[in-house]
Amino acid sequence: MKQLKLDDLNKIVDQELEFGQAYNYRINVCCSTSCVSLGSLKVLKAFEDAIKEFGVENECKVARTGCIGACSVGPTVLIEPGDYAYSNVTPEKVRQIVRDHIVLDLPIRDMLYESGTFFQKQHRLVLRNAGKIDPGRIQDYICVGGYGALCKVLTNMAPQGVINEVLASGLRGRGGAGFPTGQKWRLVARAVNTPKYIVANLDEGDPGVYANRSLAEADPHAIIEGMLIAAYAVGAEKGYIYIRSEYPLAVQTLQKALAQAKAMSLLGSNVFETPFKFDIELRLGAGAFVAGEETAILASVEGKRAMPRPRPPYPANMGLWGKPTLIQNVETLANIPLIVQNGSAWFAKTGMTKCSGTKCFSLTGKIANPGIIEVPMGMSLREVVFDIGGGVPGGKQFKAVLIGGPSGGCLPEQLLETAIDYDSLLKVGAIMGSGGIVVLDEDDCMVDTARYFTEFCVDESCGRCTPCRAGLPRMLEVFNRITHGQGELTDIGTLEKASVFIRDVSLCGLGQTAPNPVITTLRYFKNEYISHITEHKCEAGKCYTSRYNKEEPA
Amino acid sequence: MLHVTLQQGGASINPNNVRLRINGSEVAVPEGTTILKAAALNGVEIPTLCEIEGLTPYGGCRLCIVEVSGTSKLFPACTTPAAQGMEVTTQSPKLYEYRKMVLQTLLAERTHICAVCVANEHCELQANANNHGVDHVMYERNWSCESIDSSHEFLVIDRNRCILCTRCIRVCDQIEGAHTLDLKFRSKSTNVIMDQDQNWGQAMSCTSCRKCAKVCPVGAIYIENENIEFTKDRDIAAFLSKRRRRSR
């Protein structure tokens, strides 16, 4: 096929717009994993049937799209123009929606999603296209300006210029550690060895976190374009997207997107008639949580056991097969086209000075509006939990918020004013992590929560370093004693000592952050530990302590 | 690494040397030398378990952690290269405490009973524990029931004594070139296996070279009816790799 030019992109946009103008309405049916499990494919079929039945197939287009974020009220349907979001749509309701909304132009107020400030308080950059474009059609992505940024860097910018732009934007890695993206690019670009590689990290293993999956299912081309731009900037020839095999729909979506990009010569050699060449391959994970760690992912891509190795040497110098490798989270990569298109100054306006842009979170737990959200950096946790999330449902008392997945920290109510950015969270003992916020209410026991996450990390330890492999199980034993009413007050000291040891001495991020839930619950909820031990009482009723008498231990 | 021993005398005059401080005294070593090696060259001993000369460093046991000024992070001396201007501390109350905990967690992890172990008094874990004053284990002991494999003609593996230092795996792969041994599973179920998790007697790739038994720091791999004193040879990997380089 002949090489694509910017004119060709514009032609596709014109064609699509012309095509789109024929339609008055566009019905976007969410077909991401959570909505599909609630039957959105049947809803999609019902819409297609209904518009035929009413004879309006020339007036409206039914599209299968990604997630708009309101996962608790799925299947969701977004009707444009006007962005009317219908929630809990069933095939039975479809006829009524088509009749009233499309034929009579009367949106059905009762069926619209009562979101409060769920959408208003969000700031969607990475998820800009989620729920609005069909992830299975590259034309849809091109139509919203997609691959324009790639064309711009290939034809008008030097690699160093791209790196400077990313540096100036203040973008930091969204994988959790928050290393400045521009600096990482500069390191890889300066490395002398060739070939260079890029690895996009989509190994999202934290329990209850699915923000990256949602992104891949809704807008795969944004990830691919980000990777292409990064490849041009650092001089890489080959990229790998490392994705969990537990995400079949995301794998399928990405495979399709890669095939389309290849067919349009956006991947391969001579992209946009320039000497630039780049190819992307998918690599599927085999289910290890630790494979998301920077050096373990490299081992896994190479086909080895996913085990982290000590740094230095850093992957920027010695990564895949000993060659310089850039490892970025997919969310970071999806930010890149925006920075290139709109400039670093525009991007830096969002968020905070030292920490610009937005962050996607999956908001789960005891919350009224769970789902995928994207908020500007620096927003307070209170705003996220109560304004976007709608607070704790059922009139229950809020207790804590766990931010950062199984290795994050549990923060109590008095710390809800904490701003969401890397440094503020670190200060209070939590981490940004891969973007999970779990809300806990009065029915949750903090000792049991810490025990659960310790158990998770015990199972997921790779087995390499002593503190994580041999130390974490000892902590779990102490927890099991406490939650079975056999704890002693000295156990608190043992836990404190062991958690600091594991944090300081472990090899990789998994071990270093695994004690965070223990450290933070000991810091903010110590009275719960004490009441478990001395009074054998679990106020939330989660632990066995209260069921046993002092005389007859389990 | 190759040049380390050759240049020992005139190390400080080489322009490619990096200068650093170890426990306050300034030393110069060739670029790329690990902190552990730099310390050893200058008479500073750092306790190790998984490290063994002649094989790639593993960084797993965490016994050789050292403090580097300017960061609160601790670094394993066996894998961290010495860098210009680094100030390394190899002994401190904190490090001593952490090393003690490493040894205690190792002792609690599996069934380590010195009195009935073939490697008693010839065990690096035991020696390190003695050196660090580990007279008790502060954790509940996990009496493991891992499998013992004596199907091989003379090599025996008792996984209950294994500390997963992977010396055997590395020597089998890097020196013998057989790669019979490797790890399976993760977390506390991690174990050393032969070929596709077969009995050792059925492992076709095993050349019965005994190197795994020679480098095992504990009594996990040993040779039946042979005095462990004669089996153990901590220098075998370094000796063979040096000889091979010379003959090339």
Side-chain angles (χ1 to χ4, degrees):
Chain A
M1 190 187 154
K2 74 175 184 65
Q3 296 305 317
L4 219 62
K5 280 185 268 184
L6 183 60
D7 290 348
D8 300 322
L9 282 187
N10 289 335
K11 250 179 246 166
I12 293 174
V13 174
D14 289 342
Q15 264 172 22
E16 284 290 309
L17 284 180
E18 203 179 315
F19 201 57
Q21 263 162 11
Y23 297 116
N24 294 329
Y25 294 98
R26 185 179 158 99
I27 304 170
N28 295 321
V29 183
C30 171
C31 289
S32 63
T33 300
S34 54
C35 280
V36 166
S37 66
L38 291 163
S40 71
L41 291 178
K42 282 186 193 139
V43 172
L44 185 79
K45 179 89 175 38
F47 266 109
E48 281 164 356
D49 293 344
I51 59 168
K52 268 188 211 131
E53 190 189 326
F54 287 101
V56 286
E57 61 257 63
N58 296 328
E59 266 179 67
C60 66
K61 178 173 167 58
V62 182
R64 87 191 266 162
T65 62
C67 181
I68 59 164
C71 302
S72 60
V73 292
T76 54
V77 172
L78 192 76
I79 299 184
E80 287 174 303
D83 283 357
Y84 290 97
Y86 287 94
S87 58
N88 296 317
V89 182
T90 53
E92 293 77 43
K93 291 182 184 168
V94 166
R95 268 195 90 238
Q96 198 193 345
I97 294 173
V98 173
R99 189 189 64 206
D100 290 10
H101 195 137
I102 310 289
V103 182
L104 303 173
D105 199 19
L106 289 168
I108 312 166
R109 300 257 165 233
D110 298 347
M111 286 194 202
L112 290 177
Y113 178 40
E114 291 279 342
S115 59
T117 44
F118 183 76
F119 290 115
Q120 278 87 354
K121 282 251 177 174
Q122 293 191 48
H123 191 87
R124 298 199 153 214
L125 293 182
V126 173
L127 300 173
R128 57 197 179 274
N129 301 324
K132 301 201 166 164
I133 65 164
D134 183 346
R137 292 185 77 234
I138 194 168
Q139 295 88 339
D140 273 27
Y141 182 66
I142 292 173
C143 201
V144 291
Y147 291 108
L150 177 67
C151 186
K152 184 177 165 186
V153 299
L154 289 186
T155 50
N156 284 324
M157 287 171 90
Q160 188 55 47
V162 183
I163 295 177
N164 289 343
E165 200 67 26
V166 176
L167 267 174
S169 73
L171 178 68
R172 291 170 69 173
R174 298 289 189 251
F179 191 81
T181 307
Q183 277 184 37
K184 207 187 237 182
W185 288 23
R186 198 164 56 186
L187 285 174
V188 180
R190 280 183 187 167
V192 278
N193 225 333
T194 51
K196 294 176 187 174
Y197 297 100
I198 295 187
V199 176
N201 191 344
L202 218 166
D203 188 72
E204 189 182 36
D206 304 12
V209 180
Y210 59 106
N212 289 349
R213 182 192 79 195
S214 191
L215 171 66
E217 284 173 2
D219 201 3
H221 286 287
I223 299 170
I224 297 171
E225 191 181 2
M227 264 180 106
L228 279 157
I229 295 169
Y232 175 72
V234 303
E237 280 175 25
K238 173 104 195 185
Y240 295 91
I241 300 178
Y242 187 90
I243 182 168
R244 309 179 71 195
S245 44
E246 290 92 331
Y247 285 175
L249 189 62
V251 172
Q252 212 182 325
T253 314
L254 276 167
Q255 270 165 347
K256 201 168 173 186
L258 286 174
Q260 286 173 345
K262 257 173 220 169
M264 293 187 95
S265 295
L266 289 162
L267 283 173
S269 45
N270 298 1
V271 181
F272 282 112
E273 295 187 311
T274 61
F276 174 68
K277 63 170 182 179
F278 189 65
D279 206 5
I280 299 178
E281 216 177 282
L282 274 189
R283 283 288 157 105
L284 300 193
F289 172 66
V290 75
E293 200 272 342
E294 195 177 42
T295 51
I297 201 172
L298 295 177
S300 193
V301 169
E302 288 178 18
K304 295 181 190 148
R305 182 182 160 91
M307 249 178 162
R309 61 160 174 79
R311 289 166 299 186
Y314 292 95
N317 291 314
M318 279 182 81
L320 276 183
W321 295 287
K323 304 292 183 191
T325 305
L326 176 73
I327 305 166
Q328 298 269 233
N329 181 272
V330 287
E331 195 186 326
T332 321
L333 290 169
N335 273 303
I336 302 297
L338 281 176
I339 294 172
V340 170
Q341 280 289 33
N342 304 308
S344 53
W346 171 86
F347 186 81
K349 264 190 270 175
T350 315
M352 303 165 79
T353 26
K354 276 197 168 170
C355 188
S356 57
T358 58
K359 176 82 185 93
C360 300
F361 286 102
S362 22
L363 193 57
T364 52
K366 308 288 176 57
I367 190 128
N369 308 326
I372 299 292
I373 60 163
E374 185 177 349
V375 295
M377 292 281 185
M379 188 183 248
S380 74
L381 274 169
R382 187 179 294 280
E383 281 176 278
V384 172
V385 173
F386 288 97
D387 297 348
I388 295 176
V392 180
K396 299 271 184 176
Q397 184 65 38
F398 169 89
K399 191 183 235 175
V401 54
L402 182 103
I403 176 160
S407 40
C410 294
L411 304 180
E413 174 136 34
Q414 63 265 29
L415 285 174
L416 275 182
E417 299 309 328
T418 311
I420 297 185
D421 69 272
Y422 299 97
D423 307 319
S424 313
L425 286 175
L426 216 54
K427 231 174 269 168
V428 292
I431 55 166
M432 184 76 92
S434 59
I437 298 183
V438 183
V439 180
L440 307 171
D441 71 0
E442 56 187 288
D443 291 341
D444 291 304
C445 166
M446 300 317 290
V447 182
D448 188 56
T449 308
R451 193 204 68 84
Y452 170 78
F453 286 116
T454 307
E455 190 176 21
F456 178 85
C457 291
V458 165
D459 287 343
E460 296 299 339
S461 165
C462 81
R464 184 165 191 156
C465 73
T466 313
C468 179
R469 183 195 71 230
L472 281 172
R474 304 292 87 78
M475 281 212 321
L476 183 60
E477 280 161 11
V478 176
F479 269 116
N480 284 340
R481 271 212 307 276
I482 296 176
T483 53
H484 280 82
Q486 295 160 339
E488 287 160 28
L489 278 174
T490 49
D491 285 341
I492 294 180
T494 311
L495 282 179
E496 274 169 350
K497 216 173 154 190
S499 49
V500 172
F501 161 68
I502 294 166
R503 183 192 66 195
D504 288 354
V505 185
S506 288
L507 189 153
C508 80
L510 175 75
Q512 285 159 6
T513 56
N516 275 347
V518 184
I519 294 173
T520 48
T521 49
L522 277 171
R523 191 188 298 169
Y524 304 122
F525 299 95
K526 201 170 206 165
N527 51 347
E528 287 199 25
Y529 282 84
I530 293 172
S531 72
H532 273 74
I533 293 168
T534 56
E535 298 164 46
H536 299 256
K537 198 167 93 187
C538 175
E539 269 171 26
K542 289 267 175 187
C543 304
Y544 294 113
T545 47
S546 45
R547 292 192 210 154
Y548 295 107
N549 293 323
K550 268 187 183 173
E551 290 78 35
E552 333 171 77
Chain B
M1 295 282 268
L2 170 65
H3 308 288
V4 171
T5 39
L6 304 175
Q7 294 180 347
Q8 203 172 349
S12 53
I13 38 169
N14 192 321
N16 290 331
N17 279 358
V18 289
R19 288 172 166 276
L20 69 153
R21 278 177 180 276
I22 298 179
N23 295 342
S25 47
E26 195 173 293
V27 300
V29 288
E31 210 181 332
T33 313
T34 61
I35 295 176
L36 184 70
K37 193 103 190 198
L41 285 174
N42 293 280
V44 178
E45 203 181 322
I46 300 172
T48 57
L49 258 183
C50 65
E51 199 274 342
I52 187 164
E53 222 186 308
L55 301 178
T56 54
Y58 186 61
C61 75
R62 316 307 279 178
L63 205 58
C64 67
I65 44 162
V66 292
E67 288 171 9
V68 174
S69 69
T71 165
S72 58
K73 260 177 80 177
L74 302 172
F75 291 88
C78 65
T79 60
T80 313
Q84 184 70 31
M86 220 178 211
E87 281 182 40
V88 181
T89 312
T90 68
Q91 296 285 355
S92 75
K94 184 171 142 191
L95 289 175
Y96 188 74
E97 199 50 45
Y98 281 165
R99 285 179 187 148
K100 225 170 142 172
M101 286 177 89
V102 166
L103 292 163
Q104 287 187 38
T105 46
L106 279 175
L107 287 166
E109 188 188 17
R110 293 195 177 178
T111 313
H112 293 285
I113 310 171
C114 300
V116 292
C117 180
V118 285
N120 190 18
E121 295 189 348
H122 302 282
C123 170
E124 291 179 40
L125 178 64
Q126 190 185 28
N128 270 306
N130 286 339
N131 291 343
H132 286 83
V134 180
D135 44 12
H136 277 85
V137 175
M138 66 182 270
Y139 305 101
E140 223 173 283
R141 281 186 175 237
N142 177 33
W143 302 111
S144 62
C145 289
E146 306 295 343
S147 59
I148 303 170
D149 183 352
S150 58
S151 59
H152 188 274
E153 209 185 321
F154 50 84
L155 287 163
V156 185
I157 180 167
D158 182 348
R159 296 184 175 89
N160 294 298
R161 297 173 186 155
C162 179
I163 56 166
L164 296 167
C165 69
T166 71
R167 277 187 189 179
C168 53
I169 295 172
R170 285 176 284 154
V171 81
C172 186
D173 176 43
Q174 294 164 16
I175 304 291
E176 181 61 12
H179 203 133
T180 305
L181 307 174
D182 212 327
L183 292 176
K184 75 165 178 185
F185 296 150
R186 53 173 187 257
S187 71
K188 51 188 176 183
S189 322
T190 316
N191 259 320
V192 173
I193 54 163
M194 288 82 200
D195 278 0
Q196 305 292 316
D197 200 6
Q198 280 141 322
N199 284 338
W200 208 338
Q202 269 99 56
M204 301 292 284
S205 68
C206 178
T207 60
S208 306
C209 74
R210 305 166 185 231
K211 289 190 192 77
C212 47
K214 287 179 190 296
V215 297
C216 182
V218 288
I221 299 183
Y222 60 94
I223 296 169
E224 227 175 333
N225 299 326
E226 187 180 282
N227 193 330
I228 198 108
E229 263 177 273
F230 302 120
T231 311
K232 295 258 184 256
D233 186 357
R234 212 180 178 284
D235 304 322
I236 182 80
F239 171 75
L240 284 175
S241 50
K242 201 170 159 189
R243 286 296 288 263
R244 284 177 192 174
R245 272 201 304 260
R246 196 174 291 168
S247 64
R248 216 170 276 155

